[in-house]
Each structure stands twice: as structure tokens, then as C-alpha cells.
């Protein structure tokens, strides 16, 4: 588990806040019951929200690794709880191997590397802890189980199947009326919350989508089973079929359908059923999505443990099952880095955008939401709330100037440049070719030998077979590019040595275009402009 922590922390390096993080950072800054209890999409997440808000105010927004460390610890906690659950049922070695498969479930890397998923993983930890505590049978352990269930449901609705499982188990026991309060209290609290705040949820739940539940159950279960044991998704149907056969064989012997077994059997059914009802209307959401596999895999593992405990666990079976699971854990561990690469690709545009907003400051209009256009809908990074959050929490998730200048990856610097171009509203605006220009010509930094002053405020670039472009500094008043006999492409950079593949704009022959920043910002480094053309072109300082 310690090695898994190191592996997860390494795999998630250079990542940052993403998607669901932004509504929490930007729109729930005040400490109020409304901000804590208002649904996130349609989930009660009071405990994760409280933890995140506390971390925002103490850790700040710059060091994302601290948030990932919390997620990794919760993930390992779930693994330890799964080990404890299986140890007395199928033995320690298969249990620790199964726990390793879960902790390193690369196909569900969202729940391993994306810190916002403390809500999912925290819900699983609370639900699994409740099952372990419930079987002790003491009043103190029942109180603890009730608390764990309450915490689980307060993390995310993904934990509701554990409340159902505990309820089914207790109702099938002889002491049901003495212990029914264990699931009843968190259930009542959840219903009260749903009645008071459910209308703030922004999902469209239609009960006719119940017809989608069988598909969600089948499609979700096979991928979850494969992810759980580190196999390719195509082996999922065989794994689920094998689990069903094992359950049927075990239940063929009278007396083996214990209250605990019945409760655990309900877990994947309730999980995929509720998820299907709540998400089937969303065209882009599918039951085999990355984020759903972790919970589904854990619940199927619990079913497998309950059924497999009735097998004769001799030395050969123990070695065989442990070896298969260790191999699956190794495959998952090997693939975690791929998940990290995927997450870096998804989250880094947010770092570029926040860096650009930090540099631009109030130059960006308060409602500007294109610093990171990769995240749509309500999750957009909005300039005004973002700058206020940075002021409130005292730090930014973007690069500092020192970090950006020391960043060796020119592609990442290019990402910041692109974001700055959007924040500054940079474009090639048409102007009159005969318009007024400044007195001082722009400073040429590349292709110096191929330029010559062409009058006050202007330089002329003449291309040849070796050099087809000229690079000049962009003054605050801007540059006017006057096209010659061929089109002139205009590109802009600032911190990167790379210009973008696509031009910022094109000046047609005989026309002119103006390139100008929105104004002075917090970075002293100037923008530089590259003009490419197959014919002589004039570049002038704007008047």
C-alpha cells in the first residue's frame, strides 16, 4: 500500500484542478449551510465540500499534490478495509492481492488521481467501514456503523447502495427492530436533505428511464469486473458470468443465503440501477465510464468474497487465486502512468488558463470564460470569480512567473501563450493600409539581415529561399502589417520559443491588419510577432 501511494503520487504529477473543481472554488467560497448542502449536480457532498473548503483556506490553490495525497490516502484506506473484509472469509493473501487491484485500478484513474473524487472514494470507505462494524454486533459498533453510513451518504449518492445493503441485512436478522435505526437514521437525514435541497439538483431524472437499468447493470458490471482484476474489458462478460455461476452454486445449498450475503448481493444491483435512472438521460454518460468502475468493481468484489468463502480454500486454490490477482494488480500498476498522462492532458489547459488570468488581472472582463475553452457548460473558468477566489485564498493554481520561466517544456509555455492571446482578445483586425503609424519602427529580433527601414515607424521584410518570416516585438500600441503581393500570416508568442501551428490571422495582398494587446499586464516579457509571407511585407508600429 505504501508503494501504491508513491506510484499514485508520481503518476499524477503536474496535474491541477479540473472540471468539477471550478464550481466549488469559484462559487462556494462563503462558509454557509446553503453552500455545503446545495447539491453538486444531484449529490449531497457536505463532507468533501467542507474538507475542500478547509484545504483551500489552509493549503491554498497552488499545491495540488496535497489534494491528490488526500485522495491517495482514502484510496488506500478502502484497500485496507477490503483486505480486512476478505481476510477472515477467503484468507489474507487473496484479500491483499484483491485490495491491490482496487487501489491501483488504472481503468478508473479518475478515482485515483483526480482529487475531487474524494467524494466517490470517501463514500466507498464509509460504506465498507459500516459493513465491517455492523458484523461486530455491539451497541458501540452499531453507533459507529451508523456514523460511517451517514458520512458515506454525505460524501456522494454513490454510497446509497451501502445503506440499502445494511437495511436488507438488518431486516433479515432476528434482532431487526433493535438495530433498524442503524440505516434508518442516515436514510431519514438523506430524505430530509432531498426534500429541502433536491430542487436545486440540475439533472433530469425521468422514471421511464427504468427500462435502461438492465443495460446499465450489464454494461457497467462487465467493465467493472474486468477493471477490478486488471483484465481487458473484453474479458468482463466472462468474469460476470463466472461470478453469477459461483453465486448460484453457493446458493443452491440451503442456509447459505445469510442476511449479509443478501445485503451484499443488492449492492451492484442498486448501484447500477440508481446510476442508470439518474444518468440514462445524459447522452454523453455511459455505464462503463471511468469514474463508475471503481465503485462497481468494489461491490462486485464484495459479492465474490461472500460467495467464495464457501469454497474449500486449500493451499493450491489460495496460490492460484492470489497469483492471478497479483498479476492483475501488476497490470493495473503498469497502466496507472497512462491514466496520469490522460489526466495531465485534460487538466493542464486549466493551468494555462489560470496562469493567463493571473498575468492579465483585471484586463480580462469579469464574465470572460475562454481562458480554458476545453471545459464547457457551468464548469467554465470565469475570470471575475476566479480572480476573487485567488484573492480570497491567497494563492493561484497557475504557474508563478519563476515556474513558467523555468518550465523546460516549450509546449506548456505555448499553452500559456495561447491562453494569453484569448485573454487579451488578440486578433488581426482589418485597418486601412494608408492609416497613420507610429514614429519608431518595431524592434526586429529575427531575420534582421532581411529587413530594412521603409520610412518612419516601419520596416520591410523581404523573404528569400532560406527565410520566409520575420519576428518583431509587439509594442503596446500594436503593429500594423501591410500585405504585399502575397498573403501574410501572423503568429504571436510570449513565453515559448514556439509559434502556433495555426496563424492568429492572415493579411490579404494589398490589405493591412492590426495586432494589439488589450493593455499592459503583470508580466514584463513582451509579446513577439512572426510575419510569414512569400513577398515583401511592411511591419509598422501602430500610431
Amino acid at each position: 500500500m505504501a508503494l501504491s501511494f508513491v506510484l499514485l503520487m508520481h503518476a499524477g504529477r503536474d496535474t491541477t484542478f479540473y472540471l468539477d473543481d471550478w464550481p466549488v472554488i469559484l462559487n462556494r467560497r462563503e462558509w454557509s449551510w446553503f453552500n455545503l448542502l446545495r447539491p453538486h449536480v444531484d449529490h449531497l457532498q457536505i463532507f468533501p465540500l467542507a474538507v475542500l473548503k478547509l484545504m483551500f483556506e489552509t493549503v491554498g490553490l497552488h499545491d495540488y499534490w496535497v489534494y491528490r495525497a488526500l485522495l491517495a490516502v482514502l484510496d488506500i484506506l478502502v484497500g485496507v478495509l477490503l483486505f480486512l473484509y476478505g481476510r477472515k472469509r477467503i484468507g489474507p493473501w487473496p484479500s491483499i492481492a484483491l485490495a491491490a487491484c482496487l487501489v491501483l485500478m488504472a481503468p478508473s484513474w479518475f478515482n485515483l488521481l483526480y482529487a475531487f473524487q474524494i467524494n466517490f472514494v470517501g463514500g466507498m470507505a464509509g460504506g465498507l467501514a459500516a459493513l465491517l462494524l455492523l458484523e461486530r454486533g455491539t451497541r458501540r459498533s452499531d453507533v459507529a456503523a451508523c456514523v460511517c453510513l451517514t458520512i458515506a451518504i454525505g460524501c456522494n449518492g454513490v454510497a446509497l447502495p451501502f445503506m440499502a445493503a445494511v437495511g436488507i441485512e438488518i431486516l433479515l436478522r432476528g434482532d431487526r427492530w433493535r438495530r433498524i435505526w442503524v440505516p434508518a437514521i442516515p436514510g431519514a437525514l438523506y430524505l430530509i436533505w432531498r426534500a429541502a435541497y433536491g430542487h436545486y439538483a440540475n439533472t433530469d431524472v425521468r422514471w421511464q428511464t427504468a427500462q435502461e437499468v438492465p443495460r446499465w447493470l450489464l454494461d457497467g458490471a462487465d467493465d467493472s469486473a474486468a477493471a477490478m482484476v486488471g483484465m481487458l474489458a473484453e474479458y468482463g462478460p466472462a468474469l460476470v458470468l463466472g461470478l453469477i455461476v459461483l453465486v448460484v452454486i453457493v446458493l443452491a445449498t440451503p442456509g447459505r443465503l445469510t442476511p449479509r450475503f443478501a445485503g451484499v448481493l443488492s449492492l451492484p444491483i442498486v448501484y447500477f440501477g440508481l446510476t442508470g435512472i439518474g444518468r440514462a438521460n445524459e447522452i454523453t454518460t455511459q455505464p462503463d465510464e471511468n469514474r463508475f468502475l471503481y465503485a462497481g468493481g468494489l461491490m462486485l468484489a464484495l459479492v465474490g468474497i461472500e460467495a467464495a468463502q464457501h469454497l474449500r480454500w486449500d493451499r493450491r486454490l489460495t496460490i492460484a487465486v492470489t497469483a492471478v490477482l497479483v498479476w492483475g494488480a501488476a497490470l493495473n500498476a503498469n497502466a496507472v502512468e497512462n491514466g496520469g498522462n490522460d489526466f495531465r492532458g485534460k487538466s493542464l489547459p486549466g493551468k494555462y488558463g489560470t496562469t493567463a488570468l493571473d498575468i492579465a488581472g483585471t484586463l480580462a472582463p469579469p464574465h470572460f470564460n475562454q481562458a480554458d475553452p476545453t471545459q464547457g457548460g457551468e464548469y467554465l473558468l470565469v475570470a471575475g470569480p476566479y480572480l476573487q477566489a485567488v484573492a480570497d485564498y491567497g494563492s493561484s493554481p497557475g504557474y508563478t512567473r519563476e515556474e513558467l520561466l523555468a518550465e523546460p517544456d516549450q509546449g506548456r509555455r505555448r499553452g500559456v501563450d495561447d491562453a494569453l492571446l484569448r485573454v487579451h482578445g488578440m486578433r488581426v483586425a482589418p485597418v486601412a493600409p494608408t492609416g497613420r503609424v507610429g514614429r519608431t519602427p518595431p524592434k526586429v529580433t529575427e531575420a534582421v539581415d532581411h529587413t530594412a527601414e521603409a520610412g518612419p515607424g516601419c520596416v520591410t521584410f523581404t523573404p528569400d529561399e532560406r527565410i520566409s518570416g520575420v519576428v518583431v516585438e509587439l509594442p503596446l500600441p500594436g503593429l500594423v502589417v501591410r500585405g504585399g503581393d502575397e498573403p501574410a500570416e501572423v503568429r504571436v508568442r510570449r513565453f515559448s520559443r514556439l509559434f502556433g501551428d495555426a496563424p492568429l490571422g492572415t493579411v490579404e495582398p494589398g490589405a493591412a491588419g492590426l495586432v494589439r494587446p488589450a493593455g499592459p499586464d503583470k508580466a514584463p516579457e513582451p509579446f513577439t510577432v512572426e510575419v510569414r509571407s512569400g513577398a515583401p511585407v511592411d511591419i509598422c508600429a501602430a500610431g
Side-chain angles (χ1 to χ4, degrees):
M1 294 298 172
L3 291 173
S4 297
F5 178 86
V6 174
L7 180 62
L8 293 175
M9 293 303 293
H10 177 73
R13 65 194 181 280
D14 295 333
T15 54
T16 189
F17 298 104
Y18 172 66
L19 203 65
D20 292 286
D21 290 316
W22 297 120
V24 180
I25 295 172
L26 273 55
N27 304 323
R28 300 193 192 227
R29 295 192 303 277
E30 296 181 0
W31 283 96
S32 68
W33 285 112
F34 178 74
N35 274 340
L36 291 174
L37 291 171
R38 177 163 49 95
H40 178 81
V41 186
D42 61 349
H43 294 290
L44 171 62
Q45 294 187 2
I46 181 172
F47 297 114
L49 288 175
V51 169
L52 288 173
K53 284 175 60 61
L54 183 62
M55 292 181 72
F56 294 158
E57 295 191 357
T58 54
V59 178
L61 302 177
H62 192 67
D63 295 316
Y64 187 66
W65 69 267
V66 182
Y67 297 84
R68 290 193 298 105
L70 173 60
L71 176 65
V73 168
L74 283 174
D75 175 43
I76 289 171
L77 174 61
V78 177
V80 171
L81 293 172
L82 180 60
F83 164 72
L84 295 174
Y85 192 93
R87 180 174 58 178
K88 65 181 181 181
R89 289 171 168 84
I90 60 175
W93 294 110
S95 297
I96 194 63
L98 189 63
C101 287
L102 176 70
V103 169
L104 296 170
M105 191 190 288
S108 190
W109 61 258
F110 241 55
N111 296 297
L112 309 182
L113 306 177
Y114 174 32
F116 187 82
Q117 293 300 101
I118 60 172
N119 61 83
F120 261 56
V121 181
M124 294 300 98
L128 192 46
L131 290 180
L132 285 166
L133 289 163
L134 191 67
E135 58 191 9
R136 294 189 175 187
T138 67
R139 176 56 62 92
R140 183 176 296 178
S141 64
D142 281 356
V143 171
C146 181
V147 171
C148 286
L149 267 185
T150 302
I151 294 174
I153 296 170
C155 284
N156 193 283
V158 73
L160 288 172
F162 284 99
M163 186 179 68
V166 170
I168 290 171
E169 177 178 346
I170 289 178
L171 287 174
L172 293 177
R173 296 175 60 91
D175 57 355
R176 63 181 67 91
W177 302 120
R178 185 174 62 85
R179 304 178 72 188
I180 193 63
W181 57 272
V182 175
I185 290 176
L189 291 174
Y190 181 80
L191 290 176
I192 292 171
W193 169 81
R194 177 61 73 175
Y197 290 89
H199 60 283
Y200 291 106
N202 58 358
T203 54
D204 182 19
V205 176
R206 302 174 184 174
W207 288 103
Q208 59 263 38
T209 57
Q211 63 186 357
E212 290 289 314
V213 169
R215 181 180 71 85
W216 274 70
L217 179 60
L218 293 175
D219 289 352
D222 60 359
D223 287 270
S224 295
M228 182 67 224
V229 296
M231 293 187 179
L232 297 175
E234 48 261 37
Y235 294 103
L239 290 169
V240 172
L241 179 61
L243 180 59
I244 293 173
V245 170
L246 175 61
V247 169
V248 170
I249 291 174
V250 168
L251 294 183
T253 301
R256 287 185 173 174
L257 183 59
T258 63
R260 169 53 58 88
F261 200 175
V264 168
L265 277 174
S266 73
L267 282 172
I269 298 173
V270 175
Y271 171 63
F272 287 110
L274 289 178
T275 308
I277 291 173
R279 293 286 185 265
N281 284 323
E282 301 174 10
I283 298 175
T284 60
T285 303
Q286 295 302 319
D288 56 357
E289 277 192 12
N290 182 313
R291 54 185 167 146
F292 296 143
L293 301 180
Y294 188 93
L298 172 61
M299 293 174 188
L300 290 172
L302 293 175
V303 172
I305 289 172
E306 285 295 330
Q309 68 176 316
H310 298 288
L311 302 177
R312 183 176 298 175
W313 283 89
D314 57 18
R315 185 176 180 181
R316 288 181 298 179
L317 180 59
T318 297
I319 292 174
V321 172
T322 301
V324 170
L325 292 175
V326 167
W327 178 249
L331 293 176
N332 270 344
N334 187 57
V336 166
E337 181 68 16
N338 294 332
N341 291 334
D342 198 358
F343 188 31
R344 270 184 291 280
K346 292 179 182 296
S347 68
L348 277 177
K351 197 173 189 73
Y352 306 152
T354 54
T355 304
L357 290 174
D358 293 337
I359 293 173
T362 55
L363 282 179
H367 299 293
F368 178 77
N369 59 12
Q370 291 300 304
D372 175 13
T374 65
Q375 301 174 40
E378 67 179 272
Y379 303 108
L380 285 171
L381 185 59
V382 183
Y386 167 75
L387 294 174
Q388 186 60 56
V390 169
D392 290 347
Y393 296 131
S395 61
S396 160
Y399 293 107
T400 65
R401 181 168 178 267
E402 292 73 19
E403 288 172 338
L404 183 57
L405 294 178
E407 174 58 61
D409 190 324
Q410 295 299 317
R412 294 182 184 179
R413 291 196 187 193
R414 179 68 244 173
V416 174
D417 286 352
D418 288 339
L420 277 168
L421 295 181
R422 292 191 295 271
V423 173
H424 275 268
M426 204 90 72
R427 65 191 183 96
V428 179
V431 293
T434 57
R436 187 166 60 91
V437 299
R439 294 182 178 181
T440 304
K443 181 181 178 180
V444 180
T445 60
E446 296 180 25
V448 176
D449 294 339
H450 292 73
T451 61
E453 291 191 19
C458 298
V459 294
T460 296
F461 168 68
T462 303
D464 62 19
E465 294 180 355
R466 294 180 299 108
I467 300 178
S468 61
V470 60
V471 177
V472 300
E473 286 189 7
L474 176 62
L476 282 177
L479 288 175
V480 174
V481 179
R482 293 170 174 169
D485 294 333
E486 295 188 21
E489 294 183 348
V490 179
R491 291 170 171 81
V492 181
R493 71 183 181 193
R494 191 170 192 180
F495 294 99
S496 177
R497 292 195 299 268
L498 305 173
F499 285 101
D501 293 332
L504 182 68
T506 301
V507 178
E508 298 300 326
L514 172 66
V515 182
R516 181 167 56 193
D521 57 28
K522 298 178 182 179
E525 291 77 13
F527 287 98
T528 55
V529 177
E530 181 188 50
V531 180
R532 299 180 187 176
S533 180
V537 58
D538 290 336
I539 302 105
C540 307

